[in-house]
Amino acid sequence: QSNKIKVDFDQSTGVAVMHMQSPPVNSLSLDFLTEFCISVEKLEMDKGCRGLIITSGQPKVFSAGLDILEMYGKSPEHYAEFWKAVQEMWLKLYSSNMVTVAAINGSSPAGGCLVALTCDYRIMADNPRYSIGLNETQLGIVAPFWFKDTLVNVVGHRNTEISLQLGLLYNPLDALKIGLVDQLVPEDQILAAATQTMSKWLAIPEHARQLTKSMMRLPTVDKLRANREADIQNFVGFVTKESIQKSLRMYMEMLKQRKA
Ligand code: CO8
């Protein structure tokens, strides 16, 4: 049993709720990603599990995205292993046969937004202090092609072009406007709303829905599957550049200072 992920599985409904609980901000470290993947895989293989709700057990934050500490001051081998785990998480979630619903009960930048984007449906708490988006360019880094593809598949090409170049983080209302999230609810109703959506999706004949999901997503999934090694090398080459190491270090310092 992992400790960064808590899974509540209700056998009677076939729905699992996955609570991310890696303090303080559910950043996606190598350890976290490994546990995350094992949890998803277990549920995926369990015939009784048909739906997965992903939410945060931490206050105010869904997930702060990739753990920046995994991306600087480490060896190329470490970066490669880390990136492989990020790919693995995306592949598992984006190609899941389960119905997946993100219950976004806090801010969800970058990799956190990616997790939400892999789901079939996104419900966000209507708190204007929360934000969501792929803000990579603001850190001086570039969202990989499959982050981009995932966003295009959700909000279309034009919204993606603006969103990615400016590294925009949207408040819930603006996120709803461009279709980055599907529904806003008061925070205390988010799990109830996710459960309600889940029953609607689970009422559709399973096989037809799964094949349709796969038809929609397979080309995007196959593109990464066919290019995994090159994508890893690309990440390692990029992240080991002195200029990128500097940007990430400065960003991390900025995060710490902002707090003080
Ligand atoms: N990684 C590591 N540590 C983090 C991260 C992170 N992503 N985010 C926050 N932390 C740390 C903070 O430094 C702070 O540490 P400490 O307590 O030691 O000072 C602690 O977590 C708490 O953070 P905050 O005080 O900022 O908490 P708040 O509740 O005020 O804010 C936020 C929460 C909104 C999540 C805020 O922390 C934030 O904006 N974080 C940065 C999020 C971000 O920009 N993530 C981008 C990561 S990059 C990514 O996911 C995709 C990269 C794609 C790769 C591209 C190829 C190179």
Side-chain angles (χ1 to χ4, degrees), residues 64 66-68 109-111 135-136 142 238 251-252 256 258-259:
L66 303 191
D67 192 322
I68 297 167
N135 59 321
E136 278 76 358
V142 181
F238 188 76
Y251 187 76
M252 209 54 210
K256 305 248 181 235
R258 202 188 44 143
K259 198 177 171 181

Side-chain angles (χ1 to χ4, degrees), residues 33-86:
L33 289 165
T34 307
E35 285 190 16
F36 193 104
C37 281
I38 291 172
S39 295
V40 174
E41 199 167 73
K42 269 193 202 149
L43 296 170
E44 194 75 50
M45 286 182 330
D46 185 337
K47 288 254 178 299
C49 184
R50 302 166 61 221
L52 172 63
I53 294 170
I54 302 176
T55 194
S56 168
Q58 299 305 125
K60 296 186 297 180
V61 182
F62 179 72
S63 163
L66 303 191
D67 192 322
I68 297 167
L69 298 174
E70 302 277 15
M71 298 195 285
Y72 78 81
K74 302 272 195 305
S75 68
E77 292 73 28
H78 180 89
Y79 296 140
E81 193 190 354
F82 174 61
W83 197 247
K84 198 173 170 196
V86 179

Side-chain angles (χ1 to χ4, degrees), residues 7-154:
V7 179
D8 293 329
F9 178 41
D10 183 339
Q11 301 236 314
S12 66
T13 58
V15 178
V17 182
M18 207 163 111
H19 304 264
M20 301 183 282
Q21 43 186 37
S22 183
V25 291
N26 291 330
S27 64
L28 310 176
S29 64
L30 182 53
D31 284 350
F32 182 89
L33 289 165
T34 307
E35 285 190 16
F36 193 104
C37 281
I38 291 172
S39 295
V40 174
E41 199 167 73
K42 269 193 202 149
L43 296 170
E44 194 75 50
M45 286 182 330
D46 185 337
K47 288 254 178 299
C49 184
R50 302 166 61 221
L52 172 63
I53 294 170
I54 302 176
T55 194
S56 168
Q58 299 305 125
K60 296 186 297 180
V61 182
F62 179 72
S63 163
L66 303 191
D67 192 322
I68 297 167
L69 298 174
E70 302 277 15
M71 298 195 285
Y72 78 81
K74 302 272 195 305
S75 68
E77 292 73 28
H78 180 89
Y79 296 140
E81 193 190 354
F82 174 61
W83 197 247
K84 198 173 170 196
V86 179
Q87 291 178 336
E88 196 63 38
M89 174 208 64
W90 179 84
L91 286 167
K92 287 224 153 63
L93 287 175
Y94 205 59
S95 65
S96 173
N97 272 324
M98 297 181 281
V99 173
T100 51
V101 175
I104 311 164
N105 51 347
S107 286
S108 196
C113 177
L114 184 75
V115 170
L117 284 171
T118 62
C119 292
D120 293 303
Y121 198 83
R122 279 159 291 285
I123 302 172
M124 189 166 185
D126 64 3
N127 187 335
R129 287 165 173 268
Y130 297 162
S131 65
I132 181 166
L134 295 181
N135 59 321
E136 278 76 358
T137 54
Q138 295 218 31
L139 288 72
I141 58 182
V142 181
F145 72 88
W146 41 285
F147 284 47
K148 178 264 296 174
D149 289 342
T150 314
L151 187 60
V152 168
N153 292 351
V154 173

Side-chain angles (χ1 to χ4, degrees), residues 240-251:
T240 48
K241 280 196 183 120
E242 194 40 54
S243 59
I244 301 304
Q245 287 289 299
K246 198 176 155 200
S247 304
L248 290 171
R249 200 163 49 234
M250 282 168 54
Y251 187 76

